[in-house]
């Protein structure tokens, strides 16, 4: 029973408010805006997906148990592929947790009910966690990280590197600062420095989206290092538009030159001409590029739209 503060039974939340079918068009209202009030889980699924049919009822049961502490939006990716593509969903089921209008956690694949319950409880607890005090060391580091990340995103790489370095003077193995500093080096084309910085990460911290994006970016740069110049590859493609290997290598070189959108367009051109080429290699490589660029990069957003159009139109 749900009890109000004055002792009288309170009305239980309407189940329709806790679990609903979502859509690309309704995503902002159902997830982004709604998560400002209470955490929202987004379950990307499809009718043909067996693990989805196992996971879905478990999530619905747990959301009902929490009685309004968390909500669930279920999105059928066959009918609504856009948001799933933007979030980089490559396999289903995929579950993302949103709080305060942004994604804060997630998992892919079916999990036992107990693990799903612990995941939901962690999201609920984190959403209500207080901000660290600004005068504590933890608070100071959090503020410094915000400043460094903002400087990096604004292209002020020298300033970002300086702030990350100040954090590392206090906490030499701080994972987020090490990854941020490596990212600043990558932005400045100092690949060896980026690799050396990532090597300082403790083994148990070598995971997560930011780390994987950086390692992918480094590997992609190294792949392009031994290839022909873009002009030669462009000439080869012009002479034979079905020379998919030349177009594939051109995409790698363009990416190394910072021409991200052109790289995505080259890979999408292969997908349109021959999806099965090199065991779906163009699509796989494009997903690697999108992961390396990060979800906020304009080329990532455009690349996902191009990929979605090529696959589903």
């Amino acid at each position: 029973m749900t009890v109000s503060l004055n002792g009288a039974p309170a009305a239980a939340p309407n189940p329709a408010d806790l679990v609903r079918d979502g859509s690309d068009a309704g995503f902002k209202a159902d997830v982004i805006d709604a998560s400002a009030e209470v955490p929202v889980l987004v379950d990307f699924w499809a009718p043909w997906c067996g693990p989805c049919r196992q996971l879905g009822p478990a999530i619905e049961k747990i959301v009902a148990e929490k009685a309004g502490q968390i909500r669930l939006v279920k999105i059928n990716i066959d009918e609504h592929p856009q948001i799933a593509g933007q979030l980089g969903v490559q396999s289903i089921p995929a579950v993302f947790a949103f709080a305060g209008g942004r994604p804060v956690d997630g998992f892919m694949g079916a999990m036992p009910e107990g693990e799903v319950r612990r995941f939901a409880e962690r999201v609920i607890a984190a959403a209500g966690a207080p901000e660290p005090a600004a005068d504590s060391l933890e608070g100071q580091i959090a503020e410094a990280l915000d400043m460094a990340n903002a400087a990096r995103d604004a292209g002020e790489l020298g300033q970002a590197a300086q702030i990350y370095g100040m954090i590392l003077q206090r906490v030499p193995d701080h994972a987020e600062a090490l990854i941020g500093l490596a990212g600043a080096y990558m932005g400045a084309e100092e690949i060896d420095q980026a690799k050396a910085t990532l090597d300082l990460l403790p083994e148990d911290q070598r995971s997560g989206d930011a780390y994987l994006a950086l390692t992918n970016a480094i590997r992609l740069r190294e792949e392009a290092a031994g290839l022909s110049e873009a002009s030669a590859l462009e000439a080869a493609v012009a002479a034979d538009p079905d020379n998919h290997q030349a177009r594939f290598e051109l995409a790698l070189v363009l990416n190394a030159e910072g021409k991200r959108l052109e790289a995505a367009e080259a890979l999408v051109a292969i997908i349109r001409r021959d999806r099965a080429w090199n065991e779906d290699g163009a699509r796989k490589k494009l997903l690697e590029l999108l992961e390396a660029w990060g979800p906020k990069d304009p080329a990532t957003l455009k690349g996902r739209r191009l990929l979605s159009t090529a696959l589903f139109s």
Side-chain angles (χ1 to χ4, degrees):
M1 175 185 295
T2 303
V3 180
S4 68
L5 292 177
N6 62 14
N14 186 339
D17 294 333
L18 300 181
V19 179
R20 65 174 55 195
D21 292 325
S23 65
D24 289 336
F27 190 81
K28 183 178 184 300
D30 293 342
V31 178
I32 302 299
D33 295 344
S35 71
E37 302 175 2
V38 65
V40 178
L41 300 182
V42 183
D43 177 17
F44 292 101
W45 71 287
W48 45 262
C49 168
C52 298
R53 294 196 296 271
Q54 298 174 1
L55 179 66
I59 301 179
E60 293 184 25
K61 175 183 176 182
I62 291 159
V63 168
E65 287 177 0
K66 298 306 177 185
Q69 292 180 286
I70 196 166
R71 299 175 187 169
L72 173 64
V73 174
K74 300 170 65 66
I75 297 183
N76 180 341
I77 66 168
D78 285 349
E79 297 177 353
H80 304 283
Q82 181 179 353
I83 298 299
Q86 291 176 355
L87 292 172
V89 174
Q90 300 178 29
S91 62
I92 53 174
V95 176
F96 288 79
F98 283 75
R102 60 187 179 87
V104 295
D105 207 341
F107 65 87
M108 292 190 180
M111 293 201 309
E113 182 178 311
E115 292 187 29
V116 178
R117 181 174 288 104
R118 284 189 289 273
F119 172 81
E121 290 170 350
R122 183 169 72 245
V123 170
I124 293 168
E131 294 294 325
D135 58 353
S136 69
L137 176 60
E138 181 183 7
Q140 293 172 12
I141 290 176
E143 287 186 354
L145 281 171
D146 287 342
M147 293 172 60
N149 293 338
R152 181 200 58 203
D153 294 344
E156 299 170 357
L157 301 178
Q159 181 181 354
Q162 184 178 22
I163 300 172
Y164 288 129
M166 292 171 59
I167 296 170
L168 293 170
Q169 288 179 358
R170 301 293 300 272
V171 186
D173 61 350
H174 194 285
E176 188 174 348
L178 284 168
I179 292 172
L181 181 58
Y185 282 135
M186 277 294 293
E189 301 296 327
E190 297 180 17
I191 310 302
D192 290 340
Q193 284 279 33
K195 291 175 65 176
T197 302
L198 285 181
D199 286 342
L200 297 175
L201 269 175
E203 289 288 341
D204 61 353
Q205 297 291 324
R206 298 184 181 188
S207 61
D209 293 341
Y211 174 78
L212 294 176
L214 269 177
T215 54
N216 281 341
I218 291 171
R219 180 175 50 78
L220 289 164
R221 294 291 182 87
E222 292 176 336
E223 284 181 5
L227 299 178
S228 302
E229 293 184 355
S231 58
L233 293 167
E234 288 170 347
V237 171
D240 179 8
D242 287 327
N243 187 341
H244 300 321
Q245 184 62 41
R247 197 185 294 270
F248 183 87
E249 293 178 5
L250 175 61
L252 298 181
V253 172
L254 290 170
N255 175 62
E257 293 178 351
K259 299 176 181 178
R260 294 178 171 180
L261 182 55
E262 292 89 336
E265 289 172 341
L267 292 171
V268 169
I270 296 174
I271 295 169
R272 289 184 181 280
R273 287 176 173 273
D274 186 357
R275 167 71 184 276
W277 176 80
N278 197 23
E279 298 182 1
D280 201 19
R283 184 187 66 85
K284 294 175 182 177
K285 183 60 65 177
L286 178 55
L287 291 175
E288 289 180 23
L289 292 180
L290 299 179
E291 183 177 9
W293 299 340
K296 297 181 180 179
D297 192 289
T300 299
L301 300 176
K302 179 65 173 178
R304 292 199 187 283
R305 289 194 292 270
L306 291 171
L307 176 61
S308 179
T309 301
L311 295 178
F312 301 112
S313 63

